[in-house]
Amino acid sequence: MRAIVIVLALMVSGAAWAAELIEGRCHMMECTWFSIEQQNLIGTSEKGTLFKVRTKTWGATYPDGNYGVRRHRKYLGEDTSFAFCSKTEPSIISSEGSKYNVSPLPLGQEDIQAGVYMTSIAYYFAACHGMNIKQSEVFKVGTSVARGLGYTSVDPERSDFQITQVEDLLARASGQVAPS
């Protein structure tokens, strides 16, 4: 009976977490926020786990550049993307026409460019670890917290690449060659 109560509590807390707003990047007089509305397991490989993630996004403008002032958030819409949760090949995947763009994240590197990756790191840690990272913590989480969780540095020269089907990433991570 106690196990059932614990499972139900976890299910309820997960539902509450799904609607939680997560800070994106504030830059050039605009800020974004997103919430994870739904997350579905696509598959696993020995390198990681692939999730399909549906998000909602909001934005606000700050014409004076003062991000400390509360502004009205405008709903910007829904999006579906993917997270490849991997200690060696962490990536986010977005659709671009008939293909998918895979963006490796340089987690665990000291010289991580947090600004460029701010929203991506927040998204990845929300989808893969259930963490809501504040803007001020993105650099620390992307470097020292990532290393503490067992992430190894991704090759900084590794760039985005495209795949035809999102499942191709699992085949690629398994060492099988998937068409790109």
Side-chain angles (χ1 to χ4, degrees):
M1 179 67 171
R2 183 177 176 170
I4 293 172
V5 172
I6 292 171
V7 170
L8 289 173
L10 290 172
M11 290 170 60
V12 170
S13 67
W17 172 81
E20 184 177 354
L21 281 183
I22 299 166
E23 293 181 19
R25 184 178 185 195
C26 287
H27 182 66
M28 298 184 71
M29 297 182 275
E30 294 184 350
C31 291
T32 59
W33 295 263
F34 65 93
S35 64
I36 294 179
E37 299 296 317
Q38 186 176 20
Q39 185 170 339
N40 299 97
L41 175 66
I42 299 297
T44 61
S45 73
E46 53 274 353
K47 296 269 186 167
T49 304
L50 181 63
F51 290 100
K52 181 178 183 179
V53 183
R54 187 172 56 84
T55 57
K56 289 185 178 179
T57 306
W58 291 264
T61 57
Y62 295 80
D64 58 359
N66 182 359
Y67 302 122
V69 175
R70 284 197 141 193
R71 301 281 185 196
H72 175 74
R73 290 184 190 128
K74 179 182 176 186
Y75 177 67
L76 301 175
E78 287 190 26
D79 188 41
T80 299
S81 54
F82 301 84
F84 185 59
C85 304
S86 169
K87 304 285 174 145
T88 58
E89 298 180 21
S91 304
I92 58 172
I93 302 97
S94 57
S95 62
E96 287 190 9
S98 63
K99 295 203 179 240
Y100 293 91
N101 189 55
V102 180
S103 299
L105 296 175
L107 301 178
Q109 293 180 4
E110 280 300 325
D111 60 346
I112 189 172
Q113 305 249 338
V116 173
Y117 294 104
M118 186 169 284
T119 302
S120 298
I121 291 171
Y123 168 88
Y124 180 87
F125 277 92
C128 296
H129 296 285
M131 297 172 69
N132 185 343
I133 303 170
K134 304 296 180 211
Q135 282 186 33
S136 60
E137 298 293 312
V138 168
F139 177 76
K140 182 175 110 179
V141 170
T143 56
S144 58
V145 172
R147 282 194 306 273
L149 290 170
Y151 284 84
T152 57
S153 293
V154 174
D155 178 2
E157 300 301 316
R158 191 163 170 216
S159 60
D160 292 9
F161 59 94
Q162 289 193 327
I163 53 178
T164 305
Q165 297 178 35
V166 74
E167 293 83 1
D168 291 346
L169 187 58
L170 292 170
R172 183 182 186 112
S174 296
Q176 301 170 8
V177 178
S180 57

